[in-house]
Amino acid sequence: MTTIVVAMGKNNEIGFENQLLWHLPKDLKHFKELTSGHPIIMGRKTYESIGKPLPNRTNIVISSKKDWFQEGILIVGNIKEALKFSKKIDEDIFIIGGGTIYEQTLDFTDRLEVTIIDVEKEADTFFPKVDLKIWKKIEETCHEPDEKNNLPFCFQTYERIKPLEKI
Ligand SMILES: NC(=O)c1ccc[n+]([C@@H]2O[C@H](COP(=O)([O-])OP(=O)(O)OC[C@H]3O[C@@H](n4cnc5c(N)ncnc54)[C@H](OP(=O)(O)O)[C@@H]3O)[C@@H](O)[C@H]2O)c1
């Protein structure tokens, strides 16, 4: 199964100047629990924003740059290659952003793990609109702010209703 993991604000905003828009340790823990042990696919800019390979996961980074190398990650030239490599490693694959990668993979994804944060932030990167004719929300758990997490948010799981497109 291919799953997109994303955290977004009320206007589908996900990033600004190659950084995240909030710091929510509960969301980071949720992300770690979902993705640990599995391949994760990301764009070169998201990788650079994280700054290092995420442990206990095969980090697959998409870039068109021919002369860009980093230790501890697998660099591939396009989405198709990223999916091909990750499917050889595991049947559960996680696509972790950013905006350009979400846009190109949404049609080939089975499931969405969305953290929806009850905030509006200035942003330059957005998640595509979740079309409810294609996606059905099957689970939601909401959290109030606490001493470490300063914003209210909900974890939502969406499953595809419309059949998957083939890549
Ligand atoms: N809130 C969240 O859940 C979340 C998650 C992830 C990221 N983010 C945020 O999103 C922002 C980054 O997203 P972004 O859209 O700017 O960048 P991105 O999608 O992370 O990376 C874009 C780069 O990926 C490579 N790429 C994309 N499609 C490609 C293709 N078809 N073939 C070859 N290479 C391809 C290119 O790298 P080259 O230029 O090297 O060719 C491109 O410049 C940051 O602000 C980050 O913090 C938020």
Side-chain angles (χ1 to χ4, degrees):
M1 177 175 312
T2 306
T3 302
I4 279 181
V5 189
V6 61
M8 62 178 149
K10 282 162 94 164
N11 301 314
N12 287 35
E13 62 271 47
I14 64 166
F16 185 62
E17 295 184 340
N18 217 26
Q19 296 297 318
L20 293 177
L21 302 170
W22 36 71
H23 177 69
L24 295 169
K26 264 191 196 162
D27 184 48
L28 296 176
K29 183 167 176 268
H30 180 67
F31 175 85
K32 189 175 173 187
E33 283 168 1
L34 286 169
T35 58
S36 283
H38 303 291
I40 50 174
I41 296 174
M42 72 197 92
R44 193 259 308 161
K45 291 185 182 168
T46 293
Y47 176 73
E48 288 191 332
S49 129
I50 299 169
K52 59 177 172 30
L54 291 173
N56 307 318
R57 286 150 274 195
T58 306
N59 289 236
I60 300 173
V61 180
I62 304 173
S63 172
S64 63
K65 291 183 193 294
K66 302 280 179 243
D67 55 351
W68 186 71
F69 297 101
Q70 299 284 313
E71 253 183 58
I73 64 171
L74 186 58
I75 301 167
V76 296
N78 56 55
I79 306 275
K80 204 171 173 178
E81 250 185 280
L83 292 170
K84 194 179 91 187
F85 271 117
S86 38
K87 281 176 185 164
K88 280 187 191 162
I89 300 168
D90 193 346
E91 56 188 34
D92 284 328
I93 301 161
F94 291 85
I95 295 167
I96 66 159
T100 70
I101 301 299
Y102 291 140
E103 267 169 35
Q104 297 173 80
T105 55
L106 189 56
D107 288 345
F108 313 114
T109 298
D110 305 289
R111 185 183 278 249
L112 308 178
E113 293 288 355
V114 178
T115 303
I116 181 91
I117 297 142
D118 193 13
V119 70
E120 294 183 58
K121 290 272 191 186
E122 184 185 2
D124 57 19
T125 317
F126 296 83
F127 191 79
K129 186 178 169 346
V130 176
D131 184 346
L132 296 177
K133 291 199 281 303
I134 299 177
W135 297 99
K136 182 182 177 195
K137 188 163 56 175
I138 57 158
E139 217 176 302
E140 180 171 58
T141 323
C142 293
H143 298 263
E144 289 306 318
D146 59 31
E147 65 285 357
K148 287 187 182 153
N149 300 269
N150 65 341
L151 296 165
F153 60 91
C154 296
F155 295 134
Q156 302 177 334
T157 303
Y158 290 84
E159 265 183 9
R160 171 177 286 284
I161 314 168
K162 197 174 162 231
L164 203 59
E165 293 194 13
K166 288 275 171 251
I167 189 167

